[in-house]
Amino acid sequence: MSFAAPHHRFDAVICDIDGCLSPESSTPMDVEALALIAAHNRAAQTHRDRSVVTLCSGRPQPFAEAMCRMIANASLPLIAENGVWMYLPSSNQYLMDPAITREHRSMVRDLAAWLDETLGPMGVTQQPGKACSVSLFHPDTPLLAAQRDRIAAECRRRGWPIRVSMTWLYINCDLAHISKATGIARFLQHTGLRSDRCAGIGDTSSDLAIRDAVAYFACPANAVDEIKSRSDYVAAAPEARGVLEILSVLGVGARPASDS
């Protein structure tokens, strides 16, 4: 499928969810800011005068799909579960990366069972909805973070090709050959868009995969220093308000309402 290029600098803005469009914690989303981003997307898809905002996230596919609908992206695919899924809002299709085999899925189930048996008694829980990865949570974040090396060592011992990483609040256990980078590669192949016609937004180290796949990269004010140092623009505002600011910097875009 090919998407004809509109007459502006970028065809797509590939945006992370947690820490960009919504908090990673359970605090409420900024629905006013998300409504402005949705208005931006509706205008982009109607008038073709600005970039469409789509998603690239570690969140489970159902959460990412809901966010896709929230920001009114009805045209461009999104990447969910750190590359496991590409969702097509235009046709309501869910496409798992074909590089994921039945054996990979079985291995991830074995990993989930070991994590449940080993860390479950400590109160570590697994984020629901993931198909071929595991995300771990505990309300005591330092306690959770202390388990990262233990998990990585067990994966090496068992020969499981698993990448173990930490976000603000979660430990992510992903197949080593599946990532946001492979997800974006599938996105570009499917849409026919060029990387030099894409911009990106992220806030943590996993979003360096977005940085490396686009021509222009920006971050909200709450981003980690590693991301800020690699960004073309750092917003003054955090999270969704920062995304609105970035859209304005990119050209025609939604602008946050005045606080007055």
Side-chain angles (χ1 to χ4, degrees):
M1 182 180 296
S2 179
F3 292 79
H7 299 293
H8 48 74
R9 184 179 176 189
F10 298 113
D11 305 325
V13 177
I14 302 170
C15 186
D16 182 36
I17 296 177
D18 286 347
C20 293
L21 292 175
S22 70
E24 186 170 311
S25 68
S26 59
T27 55
M29 298 179 187
D30 186 341
V31 293
E32 292 180 354
L34 293 176
L36 289 170
I37 295 169
H40 168 99
N41 266 350
R42 283 192 292 269
Q45 291 161 118
T46 299
H47 305 299
R48 302 183 65 75
D49 61 350
R50 66 201 76 184
S51 312
V52 177
V53 181
T54 189
L55 308 173
C56 183
S57 173
R59 282 284 188 171
Q61 189 281 331
F63 186 100
E65 180 183 339
M67 288 298 298
C68 179
R69 297 185 186 200
M70 174 75 78
I71 65 170
N73 169 23
S75 57
L76 287 181
L78 66 85
I79 301 303
E81 201 176 329
N82 281 330
V84 171
W85 293 106
M86 183 167 66
Y87 173 67
L88 314 183
S90 59
S91 58
N92 199 37
Q93 289 179 280
Y94 320 89
L95 306 178
M96 180 176 281
D97 192 313
I100 299 173
T101 66
R102 186 174 302 173
E103 290 73 21
H104 289 135
R105 298 184 73 176
S106 177
M107 180 186 63
V108 172
R109 286 194 294 270
D110 290 343
L111 169 63
W114 177 80
L115 290 167
D116 184 56
E117 178 181 352
T118 306
L119 303 185
M122 299 168 54
V124 175
T125 56
Q126 299 182 23
Q127 187 181 67
K130 296 222 164 173
C132 207
S133 64
V134 182
S135 289
L136 302 170
F137 177 80
H138 193 283
D140 183 342
T141 303
L143 182 150
L144 178 69
Q147 308 307 313
R148 175 181 172 178
D149 290 347
R150 178 185 183 185
I151 296 166
E154 184 67 15
C155 289
R156 289 192 298 270
R157 188 184 74 80
R158 299 202 184 202
W160 291 335
I162 296 291
R163 181 178 63 255
V164 182
S165 61
M166 187 83 194
T167 67
W168 295 107
L169 301 176
Y170 292 86
I171 289 177
N172 284 335
C173 304
D174 301 291
L175 291 168
H177 68 297
I178 302 297
S179 66
K180 289 184 177 181
T182 61
I184 294 174
R186 294 176 68 210
F187 167 88
L188 295 174
Q189 181 179 29
H190 178 84
T191 60
L193 298 179
R194 304 196 319 258
S195 60
D196 64 354
R197 293 280 300 177
C198 294
I201 302 174
D203 70 307
T204 60
S205 58
S206 68
D207 298 319
L208 291 174
I210 302 177
R211 157 73 281 180
D212 293 340
V214 299
Y216 183 94
F217 184 80
C219 67
N222 54 286
V224 299
D225 289 342
E226 181 182 21
I227 287 289
K228 289 179 178 178
S229 68
R230 295 285 305 278
S231 294
D232 298 299
Y233 180 80
V234 178
E239 296 179 350
R241 296 280 161 174
V243 171
L244 284 170
E245 182 182 332
I246 292 162
L247 294 178
S248 293
V249 169
L250 288 175
V252 177
R255 293 183 182 274
S258 171
D259 291 334
S260 59

